[in-house]
Amino acid sequence: MNNFTYSKASTVQDAVNRVQQGPEAKFVAGGTNLIDLMKYHVITTDALIDVNHVEGYHAIEARGEGGIRLGAFMTNAKTAYHPIIEQQYPLLSRAILAGASAQIRNMATNGGNLLQRTRCYYFYDVNTPCNKREPGSGCSAIGGYNRIMAILGASESCIAVFPSDMCVALAALEAKVNISGPHGDRSLAFTDFHRLPGNTPDIDNNLSHGEIITSIDLPSKGFSDNYSYLKLRDRNSYAFALVSVATALELEDGIVRESRIALGGVAHKPWRSAEGEAFLQGKEATKENFTRVAEIILTGAAGYQYNSFKIELAKRAIVRNCMMALNPETQLPGAQPSR
Amino acid sequence: MAILSIVNQNSCEEEFSLREVPLKINGKLVNLQLRPWVSLLDALREYAGLTGTKKGCDHGQCGACTVLCDGERILSCLTLAVMKEDAEITTIEGVGTENELHPLQKAFIAHDAFQCGYCTPGQICSAIGMLNEGKAQNREDVKELMSGNLCRCGANSNIIDAIMEVKNETI
Amino acid sequence: MSLTASIGQPISRLEGNLKVTGAAKYSGDYNVAGLLYGHVINSTITKGKIAQISTVKAKALPGVIQVFTHENRPSLAWFNQMYADMDAPPGSPFRPLYDGEIRYNGQPIGLVVAETFELARYAATLVEVLYENETFSTNLEENVADAHTPALGLATMLKPPPPKPTGDFETAFAESFAQVTADYSHGTEHHNPLELFATTTIYEGDGKLTIYDKTQGTVNSQLYVGNVFGLKYKDVRVISPFVGGAFGSGLRPQYQLFMSVMASLELKRSVRVTLDRSQMFTFGHRPPTLQSTRFGADKDGKITAMNHSAIAETSRFEDYTEVVVNWSHMLYPAPNTLMEYKLVNLDVYSPLDMRSPGGSTGLHAIESTMDELAYKLNIDPLQLRLINYSDRDESLDRPYSSKELKQCFLQGAEKFGWANRNPEPGSMRNGNKLIGHGMATGIWEANHLPAKAEMIITKEGKLKVNSAVTDIGTGTMTIMAQIAADEFGLSVEDVVFSYGDSKKPFAPIQGGSFTTSTVGSAIKAAGKALRKKLLKKAGLMDNSAFRGVPISEVIFDNGYIILKNDPEVSVSLRDIILANKGKEIKTNNLSVPNVFKLKKYSRAAHSAVFVEVEVDQELGVVNVTRALTVVAAGRIINPKTARSQILGGMVWSISKALREETIVDHGLGKYMNQNLGEYHIPVHADIHDLDVIFVEENDTIINELGTKGVGEIGLVGMPPAIANAIYHATGKRINQFPIHFDSLL
């Protein structure tokens, strides 16, 4: 991870200009994933542009049309513990706090969280074939140890999963990603931000080189009455999800008016199912209905040698998390299954 | 405090040249000659001579390198020293005073909250950060919020006992 | 003003202050002016040859001093046994950079030495290697047909082969009233102490080296360096004052020691080599093991027949063994037994003792088989152990020197509330959590090796004690000071215990739960000799009341020698020193176990473990909500540090049963989770209510201290107790460790 220049950007425009210097130039904010990958020689760069000192993107502000705007350079911890997030968007708070560790959440930024790379073992090991790291080299995970890999939306090129927890909640909350770049500003719906692997698994998302995430908008609806985040993993904390679920329900007299169910740890992006959510609309909030939704969401899921359990696990996790959303106060630290 | 290992000036190309990185460590301003790719952890250990902060993985997966940056706990292995210019860094050497240990340090000794001691500086810095955050209500919260600090000796329950004692005293 | 004895007191660790302030220095913490940094290059293939290795680009970087490979390494000892350390298994030890042959994935093949750590790490990426690949095999299950009986060697002394068969197992098993047959599977594990392996070699200039090495044996490293590099032992000083955990990984000199010393000698500079976390997976590990058991019992629960077989992995170059199958007959007096242990050579590095080696593997099979047998017989699992209880070790036909296991069972059952358990699987629950209670027995041999200790009464009348032994976090330093203090009726504050230095009197490698007995006995021997010497010196003083007084007639207390019959008559140690012309008085003694006495007895620590688990009925998630380990390990020198040792073993048990595993991709022949993010050791959130009881156990045979050691006993019984509790909660027997929660869906 040597031989790069380091500079601090003072404005977004300055940052965007600086990153044009070369195709290998990179922004750094929290650095928790980028510096890690640089140490493993998975990512190399010739220029690091530090955006932490760009002012104006470190806070939460209310938007005129309702909803709020999360600064991209604000840390995950500050976001999760912000009173507005805790009170109006507790699902987001819960999801953030289920990820990584307190130290990493103090460093990692909201923009950076969206740009995490997969935790696939083979992606991290530069001595094994990996289409995501080295297009055309092959996928070692398909015939390898694939316990942590995808069951939905995978391709013959890549079965890696996207590791974020925060993004699972953002997908459920239908956030919007605001981007600045050499050709001006634009916004993407959250579900359009990350990509499925297809034939180009090396491209994680629809951000182009030179573009930077400046903020994330949340619509006014925060589902603060009925929400839950559940994370299932190989230890109780500080591990990536095998399956996670964000559930947000709007209920009226026990009837589901609106539902959002997003899965993490199962696909190349946070996974939502329009069919599943549509099914639930107008139905009673019962275990039976949640069980049927789970079946719909997992339609088309396919496992590999070591991860087929994720299909049944995801179904059960959806049911449990929907039940937990009926009583959000029963949630446990670390998004563990409640008693 | 000794400033060590100033690298041979000839050994680098101009554009990656050494730069003076002012770091405020434990209340003292230290000017280190560093290249951009030196992590804060290595800057502390190899350039500032502060070896109390430990390297257990160098990849943000163990918590041994935890230091306080402007009062918040962070992993010094996952940040570059140049990114922390002018920040207030507190390492284990800056915890407590010359004459008196910090209450957490005392509690760690009393509860036998370490065996080999290698994770201890990180555990203590992390616990200070956690208590500053004020988000832990009970033992289960403390366990979750301290889970970024691994202990391979298995002193976990003693570590949490020590932290709970200090937490309960400071309420 | 007699002082309370230190032994038995829960004294806080004497080095505690250094550890909580960051002042404790580990082997990678020694910074000296002009220090060079080495970064190791590892093979990226599993088997074959290096066809070409080019270091030109790396060497061209300003600040890179040298790149060592097998092509330019200095000439080294040619005889492979010169590389054999105290813990070397039978075979031919691995020799770093010896030739271009690749024997396993991750094998060290080069060393970059540069002026900074960052530069060395970067330059290592510029070394170009061309390999010739050969076919390899790393899969134990696919190669069991190649299993062979292990070669015997020196290591066999502490690791005896399986006991000979007794009676007629096959017939007895076939005729037994109740039978259980089961298979068990364990994967690879890596020690992963939190401290990275590091060696800082200080080049002293006059042919002498001072080496700060992460090791469990300073003398072991010293002899290795002397033998491999042809140096005089006296010119090699290995220091290891603080060791950031080891758990067996430091029992053998690891390759960073070799690399650091080689570079230092060649470059005539001080050199540090620190391994990174992924390189921590490129030397020893706990081997994967496949076991099968067949136990038969009569209708009253008496076990009549036991068969325990194990097949384990080893490397192609050494026959590493563990004691896996010897334990069941040490615990249960079945008349018909058949124990078998075999190895399969694979393209991996040699396995290496890892906390409770063999015991934590074998006892899982034995104690889960016992649990299954209890269910078959409809007998309470604890009752089944009591039915088959014996004070004798039938495998060697001799009594135990002491065995308070029954007390462990009784006190443990009482405290845990075992009687409240409904034996029906799946019958206990709390909301959507199934609750399971499981128990198991633990056993670990109590060994004792020869060691030396030096004791000195200083000019100030204080006691100095010296030993080469390390303290890997076990509390050795504190308890040795306690043992020494009691020899003279001093308080621990008046004792300075210096350790972790090969220049000090010999101690064997630290491990196997034998350190307290071994070094403690040496200290007692030195204490005895020094007391005699002091009394003699006291007798030589002018008008001494101690002239000709036998040692049995005096006591040593708080810095004085006092006449037993007339406590008014005393002489201070300081006055004795003064009369000795102000010169300190010392002894250096070797303590050797009394093998003639000891061989009449089996010697072991025992434990009873009770565990409560909660299993999420729908999601399978397991939590060990409550666990109690009751230990009979002879005399406990320091209940505080000993408790921590057991707690550590209990956390390791949770890890072994539910968390840690090295993931192997056999197609690539390599470990895939060489990091702490994916090699899951428990986090704080995984650890709930853990409790420890030490029962009284008075052992007058084992050694003068009556100690058995507590380093391993915490990890042998609890993994099966967890598995048994999971069965009780769910009705599912998962005999593969770690138990993934999804296997309980």
Side-chain angles (χ1 to χ4, degrees):
Chain A
M1 61 175 280
N2 290 35
N3 298 357
F4 56 80
T5 59
Y6 168 86
S7 63
K8 289 175 183 164
S10 53
T11 63
V12 166
Q13 194 53 52
D14 181 30
V16 168
N17 291 343
R18 283 171 189 266
V19 89
Q20 309 297 316
Q21 289 164 10
E24 298 266 283
K26 300 245 181 284
F27 299 120
V28 64
T32 52
N33 193 210
L34 178 64
I35 291 171
D36 178 35
L37 288 162
M38 286 165 65
K39 286 182 182 179
Y40 280 121
H41 316 295
V42 174
I43 289 180
T44 51
T45 181
D46 48 14
L48 266 194
I49 293 117
D50 185 342
V51 297
N52 285 296
H53 305 275
V54 174
E55 281 177 34
Y57 302 92
H58 289 80
I60 291 178
E61 43 187 80
R63 285 190 299 142
E65 62 270 39
I68 57 161
R69 174 161 291 180
L70 306 177
F73 310 147
M74 185 176 183
T75 65
N76 286 177
K78 287 211 166 69
T79 307
Y81 290 130
H82 195 286
I84 291 178
I85 303 301
E86 282 184 334
Q87 286 154 28
Q88 296 175 35
Y89 303 92
L91 176 63
L92 179 61
S93 180
R94 282 276 170 180
I96 292 173
L97 295 177
S101 69
Q103 289 95 315
I104 292 173
R105 296 192 294 265
N106 278 338
M107 304 168 74
T109 60
N110 294 335
N113 194 299
L114 272 62
L115 302 175
Q116 288 179 75
R117 309 300 309 271
T118 182
R119 293 283 163 168
C120 173
Y121 314 137
Y122 301 94
F123 172 72
Y124 259 82
D125 181 345
V126 294
N127 299 307
T128 62
C130 168
N131 287 325
K132 183 181 275 298
R133 180 168 29 74
E134 207 181 320
S137 62
C139 174
S140 303
I142 291 174
Y145 190 77
N146 42 40
R147 174 173 170 78
I148 64 174
M149 306 300 167
I151 51 168
L152 287 162
S155 74
E156 284 175 9
S157 299
C158 179
I159 61 171
V161 302
F162 179 59
S164 167
D165 291 294
M166 179 185 189
C167 290
V168 182
L170 290 174
L173 292 169
E174 299 195 340
K176 204 174 70 182
V177 185
N178 299 318
I179 296 163
S180 290
H183 310 295
D185 299 343
R186 64 182 181 124
S187 294
L188 279 173
F190 200 83
T191 42
D192 295 335
F193 183 80
H194 294 103
R195 297 160 48 106
L196 289 179
N199 297 323
T200 53
D202 52 311
I203 308 170
D204 288 353
N205 54 55
N206 290 315
L207 198 69
S208 305
H209 180 69
E211 288 189 315
I212 187 167
I213 300 170
T214 55
S215 61
I216 298 153
D217 287 348
L218 289 176
S220 53
K221 214 173 209 175
F223 298 90
S224 57
D225 289 337
N226 291 103
Y227 68 92
S228 182
Y229 191 74
L230 174 64
K231 185 173 182 183
L232 301 169
R233 38 182 160 172
D234 276 328
R235 65 182 171 194
N236 286 353
S237 185
Y238 206 14
F240 292 94
L242 288 163
V243 169
S244 70
V245 192
T247 301
L249 300 174
E250 190 178 55
L251 301 175
E252 201 178 302
D253 301 329
I255 305 293
V256 178
R257 286 290 156 230
E258 190 174 358
S259 71
R260 308 276 180 79
I261 300 170
L263 298 181
V266 296
H268 201 258
K269 60 187 287 189
W271 191 264
R272 277 186 63 186
S273 158
E275 295 83 356
E277 291 172 13
F279 167 84
L280 209 50
Q281 198 164 355
K283 300 273 193 326
E284 271 185 89
T286 61
K287 195 167 182 178
E288 291 66 36
N289 283 327
F290 296 145
T291 305
R292 292 185 63 185
V293 168
E295 289 294 335
I296 296 169
I297 294 174
L298 271 295
T299 304
Y304 298 83
Q305 188 179 357
Y306 298 100
N307 75 343
S308 295
F309 72 90
K310 278 191 177 187
I311 300 172
E312 180 61 24
L313 183 67
K315 289 177 187 173
R316 296 186 187 194
I318 290 167
V319 176
R320 171 65 66 79
N321 199 46
C322 288
M323 295 302 289
M324 282 165 67
L326 303 179
N327 297 294
E329 65 282 358
T330 60
Q331 290 182 78
L332 293 174
Q336 293 173 51
S338 62
R339 292 236 156 77
Chain B
M1 174 185 320
I3 298 170
L4 299 175
S5 306
I6 293 173
V7 182
N8 183 351
Q9 292 285 348
N10 304 326
S11 69
C12 61
E13 295 153 53
E14 194 52 39
E15 59 188 305
F16 309 125
S17 61
L18 287 169
R19 54 197 280 168
E20 187 166 287
V21 180
L23 292 172
K24 268 184 245 161
I25 308 171
N26 300 329
K28 287 182 210 145
L29 185 68
V30 186
N31 288 306
L32 299 177
Q33 301 290 318
L34 300 175
R35 294 208 165 74
W37 46 87
V38 177
S39 72
L40 177 61
L41 172 59
D42 291 323
L44 292 169
R45 288 180 53 81
E46 308 296 341
Y47 298 81
L50 293 169
T51 55
T53 307
K54 300 303 182 199
K55 185 185 280 190
C57 72
D58 213 16
H59 289 280
Q61 300 172 333
C62 77
C65 70
T66 303
V67 297
L68 296 160
C69 177
D70 295 326
E72 292 179 359
R73 48 181 168 160
I74 65 161
L75 299 178
S76 59
C77 76
L78 285 188
T79 196
L80 303 174
V82 285
M83 291 168 66
K84 295 298 170 192
E85 282 177 338
D86 300 324
E88 297 266 359
I89 308 293
T90 305
T91 69
I92 190 69
E93 289 91 345
V95 169
T97 64
E98 228 160 82
N99 301 320
E100 198 172 11
L101 295 176
H102 185 281
L104 274 164
Q105 291 174 316
K106 288 184 197 166
F108 266 60
I109 295 174
H111 287 272
D112 208 30
F114 48 83
Q115 292 174 34
C116 79
Y118 201 78
C119 72
T120 311
Q123 300 275 2
I124 290 174
C125 287
S126 184
I128 292 171
M130 185 205 60
L131 295 177
N132 287 347
E133 289 157 15
K135 297 294 177 185
Q137 307 297 318
N138 51 43
R139 190 179 176 97
E140 290 306 303
D141 290 343
V142 169
K143 278 156 62 174
E144 165 59 28
L145 291 172
M146 284 299 297
S147 280
N149 292 82
L150 303 181
C151 169
R152 182 55 156 167
C153 294
N156 306 72
S157 48
N158 289 347
I159 291 170
I160 302 300
D161 285 348
I163 296 171
M164 288 306 291
E165 180 186 288
V166 175
K167 178 176 149 52
N168 293 335
E169 278 169 7
T170 50
I171 281 174
Chain C
M1 47 171 268
S2 191
L3 286 160
T4 323
S6 286
I7 291 179
Q9 298 301 311
I11 294 170
S12 293
R13 277 168 215 267
L14 300 176
E15 81 284 16
N17 204 299
L18 296 174
K19 284 180 174 171
V20 300
T21 56
K25 282 200 170 192
Y26 299 78
S27 58
D29 294 345
Y30 288 86
N31 289 340
V32 293
L35 182 69
L36 296 176
Y37 295 79
H39 190 86
V40 178
I41 306 162
N42 301 77
S43 163
T44 60
I45 69 159
T46 304
K47 193 175 186 178
K49 283 184 184 61
I50 298 173
Q52 209 183 318
I53 185 161
S54 170
T55 60
V56 178
K57 284 185 193 165
K59 276 197 224 164
L61 283 181
V64 171
I65 307 294
Q66 180 59 290
V67 182
F68 294 97
T69 70
H70 68 284
E71 292 179 347
N72 69 342
R73 64 159 172 81
S75 79
L76 300 163
W78 61 271
F79 181 46
N80 64 3
Q81 289 311 312
M82 296 302 270
Y83 291 76
D85 64 279
M86 290 178 189
D87 194 36
S92 174
F94 174 69
R95 291 169 283 176
L97 305 189
Y98 191 75
D99 54 25
E101 200 91 13
I102 302 298
R103 293 165 180 82
Y104 69 99
N105 207 302
Q107 174 180 321
I109 58 168
L111 178 76
V112 178
V113 183
E115 285 176 353
T116 66
F117 159 70
E118 293 81 12
L119 193 56
R121 179 179 59 185
Y122 174 61
T125 67
L126 303 183
V127 173
E128 294 160 317
V129 191
L130 208 66
Y131 298 98
E132 279 170 23
N133 277 286
E134 289 170 26
T135 54
F136 56 83
S137 185
T138 58
N139 194 328
L140 177 63
E141 271 176 64
E142 286 178 3
N143 291 280
V144 288
D146 296 338
H148 69 275
T149 303
L152 299 179
L154 263 181
T156 317
M157 277 166 52
L158 281 178
K159 293 175 171 179
K164 297 209 161 51
T166 57
D168 176 357
F169 167 78
E170 295 296 346
T171 308
F173 180 70
E175 291 172 354
S176 56
F177 170 80
Q179 298 165 348
V180 171
T181 302
D183 295 319
Y184 294 83
S185 157
H186 290 196
T188 307
E189 295 173 9
H190 280 86
H191 308 74
N192 276 312
L194 211 54
E195 181 195 14
L196 299 165
F197 267 75
T199 303
T200 307
T201 301
I202 310 296
Y203 191 78
E204 304 284 9
D206 48 0
K208 290 189 167 71
L209 300 178
T210 302
I211 303 168
Y212 297 95
D213 184 37
K214 177 176 176 64
T215 178
Q216 288 170 256
T218 53
V219 179
N220 197 26
S221 290
Q222 177 199 26
L223 300 183
Y224 177 85
V225 168
N227 292 342
V228 170
F229 295 99
L231 302 174
K232 290 181 187 140
Y233 296 147
K234 69 173 175 54
D235 290 340
V236 179
R237 181 181 183 188
V238 176
I239 299 176
S240 203
F242 289 97
V243 180
F247 316 110
S249 59
L251 288 172
R252 302 188 69 183
Q254 301 303 357
Y255 65 79
Q256 90 291 340
L257 170 66
F258 173 95
M259 296 286 185
S260 168
V261 171
M262 174 193 67
S264 180
L265 288 171
E266 281 302 289
L267 303 173
K268 304 192 180 348
R269 300 273 301 266
S270 297
V271 180
R272 176 187 305 149
V273 177
T274 307
L275 301 188
D276 64 25
R277 183 51 65 179
S278 66
Q279 290 166 338
M280 297 288 285
F281 291 73
T282 59
F283 51 92
H285 54 273
R286 196 196 297 278
T289 305
L290 302 168
Q291 302 176 72
S292 59
T293 54
R294 287 183 292 165
F295 283 18
D298 67 20
K299 64 179 182 348
D300 300 325
K302 276 270 179 208
I303 300 168
T304 52
M306 289 191 298
N307 167 216
H308 187 185
S309 308
I311 298 178
E313 168 223 71
T314 190
S315 67
R316 299 250 183 235
F317 42 92
E318 288 170 317
D319 265 7
Y320 167 84
T321 61
E322 297 178 314
V323 175
V324 177
V325 300
N326 304 13
W327 307 102
S328 60
H329 206 204
M330 292 174 70
L331 283 170
Y332 307 117
N336 305 286
T337 61
L338 176 61
M339 310 301 170
E340 302 155 295
Y341 180 75
K342 289 188 169 169
L343 296 177
V344 175
N345 299 110
L346 293 167
D347 296 301
V348 295
Y349 193 73
S350 296
L352 174 60
D353 283 349
M354 179 165 162
R355 200 171 194 176
S356 318
S360 66
T361 309
L363 265 292
H364 171 212
I366 296 161
E367 288 300 288
S368 282
T369 304
M370 285 295 283
D371 199 62
E372 218 174 322
L373 191 61
Y375 274 92
K376 229 170 203 167
L377 290 158
N378 203 17
I379 293 176
D380 177 85
L382 173 57
Q383 192 57 35
L384 183 66
R385 267 85 174 179
L386 292 172
I387 289 168
N388 289 285
Y389 194 87
S390 173
D391 288 319
R392 290 177 57 80
D393 171 3
E394 293 299 339
S395 74
L396 293 169
D397 191 25
R398 61 190 188 184
Y400 279 102
S401 61
S402 62
K403 181 177 174 180
E404 296 293 347
L405 176 60
K406 196 171 276 178
Q407 269 304 310
C408 297
F409 286 137
L410 300 177
Q411 290 187 28
E414 170 76 24
K415 177 124 195 228
F416 184 83
W418 183 254
N420 303 327
R421 172 183 185 263
N422 179 341
E424 187 64 34
S427 63
M428 291 163 53
R429 62 169 60 222
N430 174 10
N432 52 31
K433 307 291 183 196
L434 298 165
I435 293 176
H437 288 178
M439 60 83 55
T441 307
I443 178 170
W444 187 259
E445 278 205 282
N447 282 313
H448 177 187
L449 303 176
K452 281 180 163 185
E454 182 178 48
M455 263 193 178
I456 302 163
I457 296 293
T458 67
K459 290 173 210 166
E460 297 76 30
K462 305 260 180 191
L463 179 60
K464 240 164 87 176
V465 187
N466 293 323
S467 163
V469 74
T470 50
D471 182 343
I472 53 175
T474 43
T476 304
M477 182 244 208
T478 306
I479 64 176
M480 291 308 149
Q482 288 176 263
I483 293 168
D486 281 8
E487 289 299 300
F488 293 90
L490 294 168
S491 79
V492 285
E493 286 79 26
D494 290 329
V495 180
V496 177
F497 180 63
S498 301
Y499 63 104
D501 183 345
S502 65
K503 264 180 87 171
K504 300 193 187 298
F506 172 82
I509 44 180
Q510 181 180 26
S513 294
F514 53 65
T515 299
T516 302
S517 299
T518 298
V519 181
S521 294
I523 288 174
K524 281 199 80 79
K528 194 172 174 183
L530 187 55
R531 286 198 305 273
K532 272 191 186 158
K533 205 165 178 179
L534 286 166
L535 179 62
K536 201 173 162 195
K537 293 273 185 192
L540 296 175
M541 290 166 73
D542 294 342
N543 307 319
S544 174
F546 292 89
R547 190 160 302 162
V549 173
I551 194 85
S552 56
E553 294 302 311
V554 300
I555 53 170
F556 285 72
D557 189 31
N558 203 16
Y560 289 85
I561 307 179
I562 303 167
L563 269 187
K564 265 187 194 167
N565 292 335
D566 186 357
E568 295 296 306
V569 180
S570 69
V571 57
S572 79
L573 302 184
R574 284 174 78 167
D575 287 342
I576 298 173
I577 295 290
L578 272 179
N580 195 41
K581 298 174 187 153
K583 281 188 294 187
E584 56 186 29
I585 299 170
K586 62 176 155 186
T587 59
N588 190 341
N589 291 75
L590 175 71
S591 150
V592 181
N594 183 348
V595 284
F596 297 106
K597 178 172 148 193
L598 292 177
K599 73 175 186 187
K600 294 181 197 148
Y601 300 91
S602 283
R603 293 148 277 130
H606 292 86
S607 70
V609 189
F610 299 84
V611 164
E612 177 185 270
V613 297
E614 272 187 14
V615 183
D616 192 289
Q617 194 179 1
E618 291 155 353
L619 302 171
V621 174
V622 182
N623 273 285
V624 175
T625 44
R626 202 154 64 86
L628 169 64
T629 297
V630 192
V631 179
R635 191 190 215 177
I636 300 303
I637 305 292
N638 182 332
K640 192 176 206 169
T641 55
R643 180 173 176 274
S644 292
Q645 281 293 290
I646 302 301
L647 287 174
M650 293 172 78
V651 172
W652 273 63
S653 300
I654 292 170
S655 192
K656 184 174 185 64
L658 301 173
R659 294 286 180 263
E660 70 185 88
E661 58 178 329
T662 303
I663 290 160
V664 194
D665 185 319
H666 293 298
L668 298 168
K670 72 192 299 189
Y671 304 131
M672 290 317 303
N673 59 337
Q674 299 189 166
N675 60 73
L676 291 177
E678 300 297 337
Y679 187 95
H680 295 122
I681 66 168
V683 292
H684 291 306
D686 288 320
I687 305 305
H688 307 297
D689 183 4
L690 304 181
D691 198 5
V692 181
I693 297 175
F694 292 107
V695 302
E696 284 267 334
E697 188 175 67
N698 186 15
D699 194 322
T700 54
I701 290 157
I702 193 148
N703 59 47
E704 258 197 272
L705 281 162
T707 53
K708 290 182 173 177
V710 291
E712 339 283 319
I713 189 66
L715 170 56
V716 282
M718 188 162 152
I722 294 171
N724 296 345
I726 288 173
Y727 171 75
H728 180 231
T730 65
K732 288 183 182 146
R733 287 245 177 242
I734 311 292
N735 289 344
Q736 181 174 354
F737 275 173
I739 298 174
H740 288 154
F741 72 95
D742 46 87
S743 65
L744 300 168
L745 286 179

